[in-house]
Amino acid sequence: MPNLRDMPIKRKLMVIILVTTTAALLLAGIGILVFDSVFFKAQLQNDLRAQAQIIADNSTAAVSFEDEKSATEMLGALRERPHIVSACISRTDGTILASYVRPGAPADCPAASPTGNDSVFAADGLVVTRPIVLKDRRIGTMVLLYDLGEIDERIKLFSGAVLAVMVVSSLLAFLLSSSLREVIATPISQLVRATKSVSETGDYSIRAQKLSGDELGLLVDRFNEMLAGVQSRDNDLKKALLDREAAIREVDRERQRFRFMAESLPQKIFTAKPNGDVDYFNQQWLEFTGLTFEQIKDWGWTQFIHPDDLEENLRTWKQAIATGEPFRFEHRFRRADGKFRWHLSHVHSMRDADGNISMWIGSNTDIHEQKEKEEDLQRANDDLQQFAYSASHDLQEPIRNVAVYSELVAKRYHGVLDADGQQFLGFLSEGGRRLATLISDLLAYTKAGMVEVNPAPVDSAAVLQHSLASLAEAIRESDAAVTYDALPEVYMSEAHLQQVFQNLISNALKYRNQDQPRIHISAIRNGSAWRFSVQDNGIGIDSQYKERIFGVFKRLHNTHKYSGTGIGLAICQRVVKRYGGQIWVESEPGAGATFFFTIPQYAQRVRAAADESSAG
Ligand code: ADP
């Protein structure tokens, strides 16, 4: 018999029901049998005692009168009980008066109990002894022997009955187990089938059928809920997997597109991980350096950077990695032939949806020729500037002499010169004065190109005060109203700022119309710079000249109407650009003009911008 645990539930149920039923019936049968035999024996004893007593009582006369016939007749009544084997009536001396023996039984009289009043189970049956008493005197003894065949018969009868009941009840139990199978085993089998098909097919949409409202029904519900949960998670997972695959395919496509683009560009291109490890160099890089990707990947590229650029290069790169800020950098790379070439690198970070840097991408453009030209140009510019500076500086003295001596001649020899002579002298002295102004403006212009390396913070309000003080005469003459807001501290040379203020305000005074000149100076914060404005209510400027007026010697009026050299705004632009700022004008003819200029807020930026501007 297979282990009960491993049996199918159906059979298990049947076995349990049958075993339980059989055991219960068996125990009940045995109990009944034991109880019946004990009870029957006691009953039999009482019954026989009573019957023996009746015979004993009725035999008193027969014993007294030695009436053997009556005594025998009396005993003959016992014939009705076939299990009485024999019975005897004896006198007190033990002699037998009468006896009854069942046909076929031995003729012996059963041995009477010594007490004369007893019922004892002996080997051959139950011996019942009763005294025959007359007036309280025992005159004889009645004894009978009853065989125990009736008990055996009863046992057989009961056993048969128990067996029959067992057979019938087993049959019933079997039938019952079949219907119980329907109730218990079928839902379980159903559940098992559902579980099996889910595990075999991986299809979480399968549901077990609920067949009952008991614990099994509850189990089916929970199982189905669990399946629903797993199905939903499975769907999510499948969707996530599909999305991920699609994303991977897209990334792959993007990567191929990027690679194709990077390889087809004339520039050198690289990409790096967020921590700065370079993980891609395009073919142009490998061809230029003559090195393999393995040699220059991660931080291996430092080997081809010019030693003079390396420290600054590393510092800039590491700072960008820490801040995520893009940067541009000019440096020299060693070519495969050992020669260094200037490159301009632009490096940008790419961020993911969470704002974290996902990669760096950099392009490196060969600017060697351009750089060389720039350097040549710079040298030529420097030379020219030096020449202009020395020329204007050296010319100042003789020009001043021309002006001074022509005025002296005009004064001393006023009477000697005729009208023409005096007029020519007037031209000479006017020309000398204009030349002196021009030279001095030119000197200012060349000086404007020399920016201080490390400008200190300066209070622009104080600088404006100085400028206004220098222009006090012109302001008074024109009856101008000059107003200004609170002005900030800026990193710039005081002389340069004063130059800008003075040029813009003197222009505002100069290019006035009939109305009283009103000039307003203010500054507002514009990102990381200060934006200054000088606003007037003068003649204004036609929009087509808005850029032209910042050129050297560019004027919109002749000197008769408005004196000037056309250098003032060029100086302003030169100064502002040197500090990394910008200058522009907003104006309508007849509606006044507002000149704006910006100055970056920090000295560090000023320096960087100044370097850049001097390079460009
Ligand atoms: P200058 O004043 O010596 O002519 P600038 O370089 O200062 O030279 O100015 C260039 C030109 O720009 C001027 O000739 C003038 O036509 C125009 N301009 C400058 N400032 C103003 C102003 N505030 N209003 C109108 N026009 C102006």
Side-chain angles (χ1 to χ4, degrees):
M1 180 176 160
N3 191 343
L4 187 65
R5 283 174 194 280
D6 303 333
M7 262 184 208
I9 287 182
K10 277 191 226 169
R11 197 170 303 159
K12 212 181 273 179
L13 269 174
M14 198 175 78
V15 168
I16 288 169
I17 290 171
L18 283 179
V19 168
T20 315
T21 319
T22 311
L25 282 173
L26 213 60
L27 278 175
I30 290 169
I32 290 169
L33 274 178
V34 171
F35 177 75
D36 182 72
S37 77
V38 171
F39 184 73
F40 180 70
K41 273 182 181 172
Q43 188 83 10
L44 192 67
Q45 258 179 323
N46 287 342
D47 184 29
L48 286 177
R49 258 206 305 264
Q51 191 157 23
Q53 191 63 52
I54 291 165
I55 293 171
D57 289 349
N58 289 333
S59 306
T60 315
V63 174
S64 303
F65 295 105
E66 286 283 328
D67 186 353
E68 192 184 330
K69 190 172 168 254
S70 300
T72 305
E73 274 173 12
M74 199 79 68
L75 289 176
L78 294 174
R79 213 170 286 123
E80 294 306 315
R81 301 197 62 169
H83 285 287
I84 293 178
V85 182
S86 57
C88 295
I89 295 171
S90 58
R91 300 178 190 92
T92 44
D93 59 357
T95 54
I96 306 297
L97 177 65
S99 65
Y100 158 77
V101 176
R102 192 176 62 193
D108 300 348
C109 257
S113 156
T115 59
N117 187 4
D118 208 349
S119 58
V120 176
F121 283 97
D124 45 359
L126 174 63
V127 180
V128 177
T129 310
R130 307 303 293 174
I132 302 168
V133 180
L134 180 68
K135 291 187 184 150
D136 298 336
R137 192 175 60 87
R138 182 175 172 183
I139 57 169
T141 305
M142 157 77 201
V143 59
L144 66 83
L145 173 65
Y146 189 91
D147 72 18
L148 299 176
E150 194 178 357
I151 293 176
D152 292 343
E153 276 168 20
R154 283 181 79 93
I155 287 173
K156 274 184 199 144
L157 191 70
F158 273 110
S159 302
V162 166
L163 202 68
V165 169
M166 257 171 63
V167 169
V168 172
S169 57
S170 297
L171 203 65
L172 276 174
F174 180 74
L175 293 175
L176 199 67
S177 75
S178 302
S179 60
L180 272 181
R181 215 162 47 193
E182 277 301 310
V183 179
I184 298 172
T186 309
I188 294 179
S189 313
Q190 228 269 41
L191 199 61
V192 170
R193 259 201 310 280
T195 316
K196 210 169 145 201
S197 51
V198 167
S199 75
E200 277 171 6
T201 59
D203 177 3
Y204 295 106
S205 63
I206 292 172
R207 294 286 178 274
Q209 198 187 347
K210 187 177 176 180
L211 297 171
S212 60
D214 58 2
E215 288 93 330
L216 276 174
L218 210 66
L219 187 66
V220 170
D221 281 344
R222 295 286 168 273
F223 178 72
N224 285 341
E225 277 169 23
M226 197 179 77
L227 275 181
V230 173
Q231 186 186 10
S232 135
R233 271 200 296 280
D234 187 55
N235 286 343
D236 290 351
L237 206 69
K238 276 185 189 145
K239 191 175 171 303
L241 269 175
L242 285 176
D243 290 352
R244 193 163 167 269
E245 274 170 22
I248 288 173
R249 271 199 303 278
E250 182 58 29
V251 166
D252 215 45
R253 261 200 303 278
E254 283 298 318
R255 186 174 296 142
Q256 280 174 7
R257 207 175 301 160
F258 168 76
R259 289 273 152 101
F260 178 74
M261 212 172 73
E263 294 302 339
S264 47
L265 281 174
Q267 269 104 336
K268 297 169 188 68
I269 304 285
F270 71 88
T271 62
K273 295 176 192 163
N275 68 358
D277 288 350
V278 177
D279 54 6
Y280 168 72
F281 282 107
N282 69 352
Q283 194 56 30
Q284 281 79 324
W285 260 118
L286 307 183
E287 280 166 14
F288 177 82
T289 57
L291 298 169
T292 64
F293 174 70
E294 288 303 315
Q295 287 172 301
I296 56 176
K297 68 172 191 181
D298 296 338
W299 295 75
W301 52 269
T302 50
Q303 63 184 290
F304 57 69
I305 306 290
H306 194 287
D308 292 349
D309 303 335
L310 186 60
E311 194 187 327
E312 180 69 0
N313 192 161
L314 282 173
R315 197 187 58 72
T316 314
W317 182 213
K318 284 177 184 167
Q319 192 183 337
I321 293 166
T323 61
E325 287 287 311
F327 69 94
R328 41 174 277 164
F329 197 71
E330 284 182 14
H331 41 175
R332 284 157 285 182
F333 300 146
R334 193 184 56 237
R335 206 166 48 186
D337 60 6
K339 294 211 170 92
F340 282 96
R341 288 186 68 81
W342 277 103
H343 281 74
L344 171 64
S345 299
H346 282 99
V347 184
H348 288 266
S349 59
M350 214 170 94
R351 293 181 188 266
D352 59 20
D354 299 331
N356 298 319
I357 294 174
S358 55
M359 69 180 278
W360 289 93
I361 177 159
S363 67
N364 317 82
T365 314
D366 190 324
I367 52 162
H368 198 75
E369 269 80 38
Q370 186 190 333
K371 190 86 179 162
E372 277 179 342
K373 275 185 201 142
E374 267 173 22
E375 277 168 7
D376 289 349
L377 201 67
Q378 185 62 39
R379 264 193 299 278
N381 260 347
D382 289 349
D383 292 349
L384 203 64
Q385 174 140 334
Q386 194 54 43
F387 168 74
Y389 181 75
S390 0
S392 44
H393 189 266
D394 295 351
L395 278 173
Q396 260 188 332
E397 188 60 26
I399 292 298
R400 218 181 353 253
N401 286 345
V402 171
V404 168
Y405 283 107
S406 57
E407 272 173 30
L408 198 68
V409 170
K411 261 191 210 155
R412 279 217 196 148
Y413 305 100
H414 185 67
V416 180
L417 290 172
D418 62 4
D420 280 353
Q422 282 187 22
Q423 192 186 15
F424 296 155
L425 201 59
F427 289 153
L428 191 66
S429 119
E430 173 59 21
R433 246 198 324 275
R434 280 189 50 208
L435 207 56
T437 319
L438 190 66
I439 296 292
S440 117
D441 280 357
L442 265 178
L443 200 60
Y445 181 75
T446 51
K447 271 188 188 163
M450 299 167 188
V451 73
E452 269 187 40
V453 178
N454 199 2
V458 61
D459 178 7
S460 55
V463 178
L464 177 69
Q465 294 288 354
H466 295 155
S467 311
L468 293 178
S470 311
L471 296 167
E473 181 60 24
I475 292 170
R476 197 189 51 75
E477 254 177 33
S478 58
D479 190 26
V482 183
T483 53
Y484 50 89
D485 298 334
L487 297 176
E489 196 173 60
V490 287
Y491 283 84
M492 145 170 227
S493 139
E494 196 174 335
H496 279 146
L497 185 57
Q498 189 167 338
Q499 238 173 346
V500 176
F501 275 147
Q502 229 161 285
N503 273 308
L504 295 180
I505 296 166
S506 65
N507 279 351
L509 293 169
K510 191 175 8 169
Y511 300 105
R512 62 177 182 267
N513 55 23
Q514 319 307 323
D515 305 334
Q516 179 204 15
R518 280 195 311 280
I519 303 167
H520 184 73
I521 299 106
S522 65
I524 59 160
R525 182 80 147 270
N526 185 16
S528 59
W530 284 103
R531 195 194 72 184
F532 288 82
S533 61
V534 178
Q535 187 182 16
D536 64 45
N537 61 341
I539 59 169
I541 300 161
D542 196 319
S543 62
Q544 60 175 314
Y545 303 120
K546 277 182 186 171
E547 261 130 50
R548 214 178 122 186
I549 52 171
F550 292 99
V552 187
F553 304 130
K554 294 288 185 280
R555 310 201 66 229
L556 302 182
H557 313 278
N558 59 41
T559 26
H560 298 300
K561 200 164 182 198
Y562 297 101
S563 67
T565 54
I567 292 181
L569 289 180
I571 292 175
C572 292
Q573 188 182 51
R574 200 157 201 220
V575 167
V576 168
K577 277 202 168 176
R578 280 275 150 160
Y579 286 90
Q582 284 177 319
I583 185 163
W584 68 100
V585 66
E586 284 174 11
S587 175
E588 292 292 331
T594 306
F595 282 83
F596 294 95
F597 66 94
T598 57
I599 295 295
Q601 223 175 330
Y602 300 109
Q604 195 186 350
R605 288 204 174 231
V606 170
R607 268 210 310 280
D611 293 348
E612 199 174 286
S613 135
S614 68

